[in-house]
Structure formats: C-alpha cells, structure tokens
Amino acid sequence: MTRSTAPSPETPLPPPKERRRLREALSLSEAQVASAVGVTKATVRAWETGRSDPRGRRREAYAKVLARPLPSNEASAADTSSEPAAATTSTAPAEATTAATPPAAVEPVLVSVADSVSTTLAPSPPPAPAAPPATAGLTPAEAFDALYAHAAPDLVRQVYLLTGRQQLSHEAVERAFHIAWQNWPKTAQDRDPVGWVRAVAYELALSPWHRLRPANRHPESPPLDKAGRELLDALLELPPPYRRTVLLYDGLGLDLPETAAETEATTPAAANRLLHAREALAERLPHLAATPEALREQLGVLVAGGPPPRPAPAATVRTTSERRAWFWTRAALTVTVLIMGATGMTLATAPTRYVPEIAPAQRVGGVPGHAGPPQLSPQQTVLRDMLRDLPGSGPGKLVPQIE
C-alpha cells in the first residue's frame, strides 16, 4: 500500500498590491507584521512587492494577519471612496477628518486621503510603461542583452532627469546592469526586471557621494530647449525623494502603491511627496499648475526626447561586470590569504609562556649619604658630663622624714 504524496493546497493570498493596501488599512507597520509572522521587515517588503511569496506556516500566519477585520472608520472610508462623489473630494475635508481622528486610526484615513488625492490630481490614468521583451527559450546572455537593449536607453534618459548630468546617468545605468548580471538568476526571475534595474540605477545616481567628484562640482548646461531646461532646473531643485516620486508617478505612469514601494515609503508619504513636489513645480512654472496633464505631458516629452543616450554595447557591459566581479573576488581571496599567513606566522613565532625581562642595573642617585650625630653645644656637653658622673642608680630622691 503506497502513501499519497500529493501536495496540500496552499493558503490563498491576495495580490502583492492588495497585501500592502490591506496592511496599511489595518494600521500595521512592516515591523509589526514581521513580528507577528516571525520574519524580517525586508521579507515583508518582498512579499508586498511580489519579489517572493510566503510558504508553509508563514503563509498561513501571513494570511491570518491580512484577514483581520478592518476598523470601522476604514470600512466607512472604503464605502465612501467607491461612490462617484468621493473621487472629486478636495483635500481640505480630508485633512479635517484626519485631525479629528484618534491617533490609532490616523494611518487608515491617510490611506484613503492619499487615494482621493491621487484620484483628484490625476483624473485620467497615465499610460503604462512598455512591457519587457519575452525571454523564453533564450540563453542567460541573450536574455540579458534583450533586457539591456530594451531598457538601457530609457533608463539613461530617466536618470538624466534625476541628476542633470549625462556622464553620471550613463555610469549609473551601466553599473546597475553590472549588478543585474552578477545577480542574473534573481533578476531574471523577478516579476519586473526593468523595475529591479531601475531601482538600482536610481539609488546609484542619487548617492550623495557623487558630490565629492571634481566633475560634479560645476553645473552642466542641458542640451534641451527653453521649456525643457526650465522644467529640468525646477526638478533638480526638489529633494531627491520628491524628484524620484514625481518622475515615477507623472513621468513613467506608475500608480501610487507601486511608486511608494519603489521609493521605500508608505502610500500616504508618497502622496504627500507628490503633492508638495507639484506645488513647488507649479510655483516655479505657473503654466504647469492648470492640470496634472500638463506636467505629465512635458515630463513625457523630456523622458522620450531628452539628450540621445549612448549606452555601451551589452556584450561590453557583461564583460565589464564579469571582470569587476573577478577582480573583487581575487582581491578578497588575496586579503584572506594574507590574513591567514600573518596569523600562522604569529602562531609559529609567538612564545608559549611569559618570560619576565630582567631590567639592567642602574646607579642609584639622589639619596643623601649617611651622617653621624650632630655636634653638641657647650650646654649640651656640660649636661652630658654631669649625667655620666652621677651614680648608676641616678640622682637622689627626696624622702619625707617622720617627726
């Protein structure tokens, strides 16, 4: 009799975007969910972005956490947001509702505020980015070359809008593809390989260490028309998180949860960054304050018609990545061998017991010589002689007489 080995069906889970929305609706942070399930915050973030899925007992525990009943205020907010009138609600009533809400329910209200804000500022959904090319049946090198040819030119233009420097944009994108080739199994299995490389390229381009490079101390004149230069200068004056949020949401057409996930922020924080960035851009460029479509259209023109990118060939990028990995591998091995050799030599030459060192003899100085008794004065000499002449029993004593 044989035992059945059919796998048990796994616990169903909502899609990755819905997982993040449910967690924020329950007023739970990533740390709280990670503590309840028994994993790290990075693992919860990977589950919410779709990079991985929980399995076994952790999947069941994660499903129980997401299946908790929503607070009453969040349920009413969800019902209200489904009505057509909620899509045109201004931000002032939402802020008043948030101020009157107790602290425990602030985050669910902020989520609904962010959704209504994004709906109000973006009446029509932006166009979705182009899908990456199919890589089925290709070798790893061919799949990497196809991804590089598809995404590299657009990423160079996007990074140029974040930094305003052509050389830095090419370096950041090529370095991001170096890392992608070194982690190619992980990158190829990602649900959005272009987004994986884009996140790495943005992080590398916005690193504050680039300010120390002599080539980046002076501004670079952009090869754009007047409107493009004005918009680029206004973008570069924004803080890097705001600049990145505007580019992802208005320039590339990502929705608010995806923008928040790629910028490693909550959905309300991403909505607030978007609002402040649009206000700053509208103050600098009044013609963009009319409708969000004007900003999207001009950003789309910059993304599609910026300076012509000149990325290196894909084969060169792969070869450089392999050489860089081989160089650092050899450097790590060399340092390890040197440390092991120094440790072995120390163990071979070091004494096995402590031998105290005998200090050399030294002449003692500064000590006064031996001196005899001091010379007596004449009175002391007379007293000494008198004491010597007295009998051994000493001087006589007065004895009372009885009469």
Side-chain angles (χ1 to χ4, degrees):
M1 180 177 180
T2 59
R3 183 177 298 177
S4 175
T5 59
S8 58
E10 294 184 345
T11 305
L13 287 176
K17 296 181 183 179
E18 187 68 14
R19 300 171 192 173
R20 181 187 180 91
R21 192 194 67 79
L22 289 175
R23 176 180 61 79
E24 293 177 344
L26 292 170
S27 302
L28 296 177
S29 63
E30 293 179 352
Q32 292 174 339
V33 175
S35 177
V37 181
V39 295
T40 61
K41 291 174 56 179
T43 304
V44 175
R45 190 178 301 113
W47 293 346
E48 293 180 352
T49 55
R51 301 184 187 276
S52 63
D53 285 325
R55 297 182 182 276
R57 296 181 179 178
R58 292 179 178 177
R59 186 182 183 94
E60 297 178 0
Y62 188 50
K64 291 180 180 179
V65 172
L66 297 181
R68 294 180 182 178
L70 295 176
S72 57
N73 54 0
E74 175 61 22
S76 60
D79 296 338
T80 307
S81 61
S82 61
E83 299 176 359
T88 58
T89 305
S90 61
T91 59
E95 293 176 358
T97 306
T98 305
T101 308
V106 168
E107 189 168 350
V109 176
L110 284 177
V111 176
S112 60
V113 170
D115 295 338
S116 62
V117 165
S118 62
T119 306
T120 305
L121 295 180
S124 60
T135 58
L138 300 179
T139 63
E142 293 175 349
F144 176 84
D145 294 349
L147 178 64
Y148 182 80
H150 168 76
D154 293 336
L155 289 179
V156 170
R157 295 190 182 97
Q158 297 167 23
V159 175
Y160 177 75
L161 295 182
L162 293 177
T163 60
R165 300 185 179 277
Q166 299 185 39
Q167 181 180 357
L168 180 58
S169 60
H170 285 82
E171 293 177 357
V173 172
E174 291 179 8
R175 179 62 180 143
F177 275 99
H178 290 170
I179 300 175
W181 180 241
Q182 294 171 8
N183 301 272
W184 182 244
K186 176 182 177 182
T187 308
Q189 295 174 3
D190 193 271
R191 68 182 184 92
D192 185 13
V194 177
W196 193 95
V197 180
R198 180 178 60 234
V200 177
Y202 284 11
E203 290 292 339
L204 294 174
L206 296 177
S207 175
W209 294 104
H210 294 301
R211 303 175 185 175
L212 303 179
R213 301 175 60 179
N216 297 335
R217 294 178 182 176
H218 304 285
E220 180 179 339
S221 81
L224 303 171
D225 56 359
K226 181 179 179 181
R229 287 196 300 269
E230 292 178 353
L231 180 56
L232 180 60
D233 294 340
L235 283 175
L236 295 179
E237 290 183 359
L238 296 176
Y242 291 14
R243 198 185 316 162
R244 187 173 177 179
T245 302
V246 170
L247 179 60
L248 291 173
Y249 188 81
D250 289 330
L252 303 185
L254 300 184
D255 59 4
L256 200 57
E258 289 182 350
T259 303
E262 188 158 333
T263 56
E264 297 183 354
T266 61
T267 304
N272 290 331
R273 289 176 181 177
L274 182 63
L275 285 175
H276 291 301
R278 286 182 173 179
E279 291 175 358
L281 292 176
E283 183 178 357
R284 179 73 181 270
L285 305 174
H287 64 279
L288 299 179
T291 58
E293 299 299 332
L295 175 60
R296 291 181 178 178
E297 182 179 356
Q298 194 157 352
L299 276 177
V301 171
L302 280 182
V303 171
R310 299 180 300 275
T316 305
V317 174
R318 283 190 287 104
T319 305
T320 305
S321 176
E322 293 171 358
R323 290 178 179 176
R324 186 187 296 269
W326 177 237
F327 169 77
W328 287 112
T329 303
R330 288 189 299 177
L333 290 176
T334 303
V335 173
T336 303
V337 170
L338 290 177
I339 294 176
M340 293 176 61
T343 304
M345 184 177 297
T346 302
L347 293 176
T349 58
T352 57
R353 61 188 182 88
Y354 174 72
V355 179
E357 183 180 358
I358 300 176
Q362 295 181 359
R363 183 183 297 275
V364 179
V367 180
H370 179 72
Q375 187 177 3
L376 300 179
S377 62
Q379 294 81 4
Q380 292 176 348
T381 304
V382 173
L383 179 59
R384 185 193 62 184
D385 295 341
M386 183 183 63
L387 292 175
R388 288 180 177 177
D389 294 340
L390 289 176
S393 58
K397 298 179 180 179
L398 296 177
V399 179
Q401 295 180 0
I402 301 175
E403 293 180 355

